[in-house]
Amino acid sequence: MCGIVGYIGKQKAAPILLDGIKSLEYRGYDSAGISVINNQGGVAEAQVEKAVGKVINLENKIKSRELLGGLGIIHTRWATHGGATEANAHPHSDCAGNIWLVHNGIIENYKELKNELISAGHQFKSETDTEVVAHLIEEQVKSLKSKVQSYALEDAVRLALKKVRGAYALAIIDKREPEKLVAVRNSSPLILGIGNDEYLVASDASAVVKHTRKVIYFNDGEMAILTPDNHRVVNLENQAVDSQPQELDWTVESAQKGGYPHFMLKEIFEQPEAVENCLRGRLVVQEGTAKLGGLESIKDKLREIKRIHISACGTAYLAGKVGEYMLEEYAGIPVEVDLASELRYRKPVFDNHDAVLVISQSGETADTLASVKEAKEKGILTLGIVNTVGSSIARETEAGIYQHIGPEIGVASTKAFTSQVAVLALLTLFLGRQRQMSLVTGERIARELQRLPELIRKVLQSEDLIKQIAVKYQTHNNFLYLGRKYNLPIAYEGALKLKEISYIHAEGYGAGEMKHGPIAMIDQNLPSVVIVPSDSVYEKTVSNIEEIRARRGPVIAIATEGNEDIKSLADDVIYIPKSLEMLTPILSAVPLQLFAYHVGVLRGLDVDKPRNLAKSVTVE
Ligand code: M6R
């Protein structure tokens, strides 16, 4: 969580920093702050401003100030230690106000470090864990000064970080060295953008793509020392690191709203293209299989896999639950799906022929990353389904499949979810064909996957109807979402979308499980959204709808086109096209995303940045 940007170059830093941090606001938005080194007339001064709330508040505050320098750092915060106040907003500084830094991550041993520093006479201005780093660097500067004639900021930073335990991406400046930016990473994302006579460091590529597409992804323990016309990357032992720049595959447009009122709506409508992109070049229809470049090198190992443990968080976990049904039914591989926050602490029983498959849009989710590390520790093969190229999870896993859907900015996962499920279908084909799946079955799945973008387009045509249904139900404060088999995870996902976007209590439940408890809540005031496609459990689900109707509960049904009978059972019906049962979740998820979106908008909420949330959860 939190977003950081640093700039050094020949241009004015402040507008570039502000622009960059706006594209990272999805990472947290309870306060923001900037520090720019103004080096006019040979006297360097740190110009600092902070504001509670979104970045716009900071922007308004600095409108009347001239921030002149070509070196600066900026931050948008998702609070962990200390409330959302100006004092706790970054950048933080040492006692003398020379060193300023912004941080994403958590300093785990900050309490003991703070106590030591207070005993040594340091005065703290915030309740944050971050501030200790500024004082630690100050302490190291003092010690270096007493030992050597001249020192450099990076030396003090390296020595200070040796005392720190935890996760950090830091951008650090010192007004005594007004031509230098130091950036360092351990377990929190950080990227270096290399421009012409300018450098940017940022939590992700969306903040640098306007300026350059030439980037370096930092590894843990790597530090960049930047001047306007030079960069050097070293490790914490001060040894040079040979980090080769890579070309970003993002465009500026992909990180902007493109005429939509919200990123969430844009990303919902991008789903046909997103699924197309993640399937592109991967389906081998005539062989009924998938060609997955990222798995080529371990093809033989995968043939030996006897069980898969899927580990993920939130929506990605629910994609994993759909994957469980697919992989068991078509590849015949037993699958266990865990919340990553559980897998990392429980004692899973791994076997040599097991693989851990993690799913993560950001590739930075702390719990998911930890479950990769846990599996590696135990010598288990680790695989990833990840969207963000070069992210920590992409690099930690042994092999994997990229989603290739471009950046997802809206906090609610939409196109990431449907494409994760599409990738899981590709994986099912790949592993299934290595095992029992026949050519005919493989071909059928591959052909249906090819049709998916078109089918999603059809679902999106129902937006007006879904909006009307949202208007009708917007004032309800409780919802039940029900589904079975492949669509049980979609019931959970639909409820999760409504909760996070509209702050309405919604509960996802197995339709068949409803009578074991939640049925007690049903009356005319509790609408149930029932996912009831014409599949192998259709009749069972219809019986569950009858149970709701008998208790006068309103029903919104997601059903298959051509099913006229359902109209007499449900108050409202949203149709999805007919497809293979295993692929219906990709279609049924879409109307639920639109429903949550419109209810949120009707309630006047900020759907792109729901309260208390952040896009990338890089803390436990
Ligand atoms: O980046 P990840 O896919 O690892 O993120 C996992 C969850 O935090 C994420 O899916 C979250 O549940 C979404 N906000 C849901 O819309």
Side-chain angles (χ1 to χ4, degrees):
M1 337 280 258
C2 301
I4 70 172
V5 186
Y7 175 85
I8 185 161
K10 305 264 188 274
Q11 302 190 60
K12 265 197 210 168
I16 296 174
L17 291 171
L18 260 176
D19 193 50
I21 205 70
K22 281 182 193 161
S23 62
L24 295 182
E25 224 182 342
Y26 69 87
R27 302 180 66 85
Y29 30 83
D30 59 40
S31 56
I34 186 170
S35 175
V36 168
I37 303 293
N38 178 12
N39 195 19
Q40 304 284 305
V43 187
E45 168 206 11
Q47 296 180 297
V48 182
E49 202 63 77
K50 299 179 180 190
V52 172
K54 295 188 176 157
V55 171
I56 184 78
N57 298 349
L58 176 69
E59 188 172 14
N60 288 336
K61 251 183 144 175
I62 58 179
K63 258 186 196 147
S64 53
R65 277 186 80 173
E66 243 200 327
L67 302 179
L68 295 171
L71 168 63
I73 51 179
I74 196 163
H75 186 267
T76 182
R77 180 166 185 249
W78 186 85
T80 56
H81 299 65
T85 62
E86 275 191 24
N88 290 331
H90 301 213
H92 290 291
S93 76
D94 60 345
C95 296
N98 291 320
I99 298 159
W100 290 88
L101 55 86
V102 286
H103 169 220
N104 170 31
I106 285 185
I107 308 300
E108 282 163 11
N109 59 338
Y110 87 100
K111 268 203 182 126
E112 62 192 73
L113 292 173
K114 190 168 177 174
N115 289 339
E116 281 171 25
L117 287 158
I118 289 173
S119 311
H122 287 260
Q123 283 179 356
F124 280 76
K125 300 170 280 291
S126 78
E127 302 155 89
T128 65
D129 53 331
T130 301
E131 195 184 341
V132 294
V133 183
H135 292 274
L136 272 178
I137 299 172
E138 182 176 37
E139 207 44 35
Q140 292 307 321
V141 167
K142 236 192 270 168
S143 139
L144 281 167
K145 269 185 171 168
S146 68
K147 291 183 200 144
V148 289
Q149 268 192 337
S150 70
Y151 74 94
L153 172 62
E154 59 269 29
D155 298 326
V157 172
R158 270 191 310 104
L159 295 169
L161 289 178
K162 291 209 174 301
K163 297 181 184 289
V164 166
R165 220 174 46 238
Y168 51 78
L170 290 158
I172 309 158
I173 53 179
D174 184 336
K175 70 178 191 187
R176 291 162 297 189
E177 295 189 57
E179 297 268 289
K180 187 182 282 176
L181 170 63
V182 173
V184 56
R185 165 200 160 124
N186 183 47
S187 296
S188 293
L190 191 64
I191 186 170
L192 168 64
I194 303 171
N196 290 329
D197 288 337
E198 62 181 5
Y199 292 95
L200 283 111
V201 288
S203 303
D204 85 35
S206 57
V208 310
V209 69
K210 266 192 194 167
H211 304 270
T212 178
R213 294 176 66 184
K214 203 166 146 196
V215 298
I216 287 177
Y217 297 101
F218 289 87
N219 287 312
D220 283 348
E222 288 180 359
M223 174 164 86
I225 300 113
L226 309 166
T227 61
D229 47 21
N230 191 25
H231 75 275
R232 206 155 53 84
V233 182
V234 297
N235 62 21
L236 291 184
E237 304 311 319
N238 203 20
Q239 292 153 334
V241 172
D242 179 25
S243 26
Q244 291 306 318
Q246 300 180 30
E247 194 71 13
L248 265 182
D249 61 357
W250 286 23
T251 60
V252 177
E253 297 72 43
S254 62
Q256 289 174 348
K257 280 189 205 154
Y260 284 92
H262 298 99
F263 280 111
M264 182 177 174
L265 191 63
K266 175 185 174 235
E267 287 157 5
I268 291 173
F269 274 85
E270 272 175 358
Q271 289 177 109
E273 203 191 323
V275 170
E276 220 155 50
N277 286 342
C278 82
L279 298 179
R280 181 161 297 125
R282 288 170 162 173
L283 282 173
V284 193
V285 180
Q286 63 286 7
E287 289 171 31
T289 189
K291 192 168 176 276
L292 299 167
L295 302 186
E296 254 334 282
S297 60
I298 55 155
K299 223 170 164 178
D300 292 335
K301 247 191 202 173
L302 290 173
R303 221 182 291 277
E304 302 304 317
I305 291 302
K306 302 255 185 302
R307 190 166 54 151
I308 297 177
H309 301 260
I310 296 180
S311 171
C313 299
T315 290
Y317 163 81
L318 297 172
K321 290 296 284 179
V322 180
E324 175 184 19
Y325 284 90
M326 288 179 176
L327 286 159
E328 292 194 337
E329 181 168 0
Y330 286 99
I333 305 175
V335 177
E336 283 177 24
V337 192
D338 263 288
L339 292 166
S341 49
E342 289 297 315
L343 184 81
R344 65 183 294 190
Y345 290 115
R346 77 179 178 86
K347 235 181 160 189
V349 183
F350 290 132
D351 182 271
N352 286 344
H353 293 292
D354 287 2
V356 166
L357 167 65
V358 294
I359 307 172
S360 174
Q361 186 284 129
S362 62
E364 301 294 347
T365 301
D367 287 319
T368 313
L369 181 57
S371 59
V372 176
K373 291 187 174 160
E374 185 63 21
K376 278 174 89 173
E377 184 69 29
K378 300 201 159 41
I380 305 302
L381 173 68
T382 54
L383 307 170
I385 295 176
V386 174
N387 186 36
T388 309
V389 176
S391 57
S392 306
I393 293 175
R395 283 181 294 157
E396 279 286 337
T397 43
E398 203 165 315
I401 314 169
Y402 278 120
Q403 295 173 239
H404 291 314
I405 58 162
E408 189 182 67
I409 312 282
V411 166
S413 176
T414 53
K415 65 174 180 174
F417 174 72
T418 43
S419 63
Q420 280 159 351
V421 177
V423 170
L424 283 158
L426 287 173
L427 184 65
T428 303
L429 265 184
F430 181 90
L431 296 175
R433 292 290 287 135
Q434 281 191 329
R435 293 167 174 75
Q436 66 198 21
M437 188 191 289
S438 70
L439 173 61
V440 176
T441 305
E443 259 185 289
R444 201 173 68 233
I445 297 173
R447 282 196 203 290
E448 201 55 21
L449 271 166
Q450 267 183 329
R451 288 179 67 223
L452 265 183
E454 212 33 60
L455 301 187
I456 303 173
R457 272 186 201 108
K458 264 191 125 177
V459 181
L460 290 168
Q461 286 167 6
S462 305
E463 195 203 356
D464 285 345
L465 167 72
I466 296 167
K467 195 171 170 182
Q468 283 166 28
I469 299 175
V471 170
K472 180 170 165 190
Y473 291 96
Q474 60 172 308
T475 53
H476 284 265
N477 288 324
N478 294 289
F479 281 80
L480 203 55
Y481 280 69
L482 302 169
R484 300 182 84 124
K485 207 175 163 186
Y486 279 100
N487 282 293
L488 172 55
I490 304 307
Y492 296 139
E493 170 60 6
L496 175 62
K497 279 298 83 97
L498 192 69
K499 274 185 272 211
E500 69 180 328
I501 297 305
S502 315
Y503 318 150
I504 292 174
H505 170 242
E507 207 168 322
Y509 231 86
E513 184 66 13
M514 177 190 62
K515 55 188 162 298
H516 298 285
I519 200 165
M521 300 190 304
I522 288 180
D523 63 14
Q524 65 275 28
N525 296 318
L526 180 73
S528 296
V529 179
V530 189
I531 307 146
V532 56
S534 305
D535 59 10
S536 63
V537 286
Y538 173 73
E539 274 159 25
K540 306 276 171 212
T541 316
V542 165
S543 306
N544 302 134
I545 295 181
E546 297 282 14
E547 289 155 11
I548 300 169
R549 280 168 48 83
R551 288 155 186 87
R552 293 188 297 139
V555 172
I556 306 166
I558 313 294
T560 304
E561 261 170 15
N563 178 357
E564 292 298 316
D565 297 348
I566 198 76
K567 285 186 179 158
S568 60
L569 293 174
D571 299 80
D572 297 278
V573 181
I574 303 166
Y575 285 113
I576 56 171
K578 174 97 191 123
S579 182
L580 273 184
E581 183 170 5
M582 68 176 269
L583 300 180
T584 53
I586 296 180
L587 303 175
S588 56
V590 177
L592 304 186
Q593 298 165 350
L594 282 169
F595 180 70
Y597 170 80
H598 283 295
V599 173
V601 171
L602 286 162
R603 288 191 162 213
L605 301 171
D606 184 348
V607 293
D608 279 342
K609 299 190 199 89
R611 69 182 180 205
N612 306 336
L613 282 167
K615 180 75 182 157
S616 177
V617 186
T618 51
V619 295
E620 260 195 66

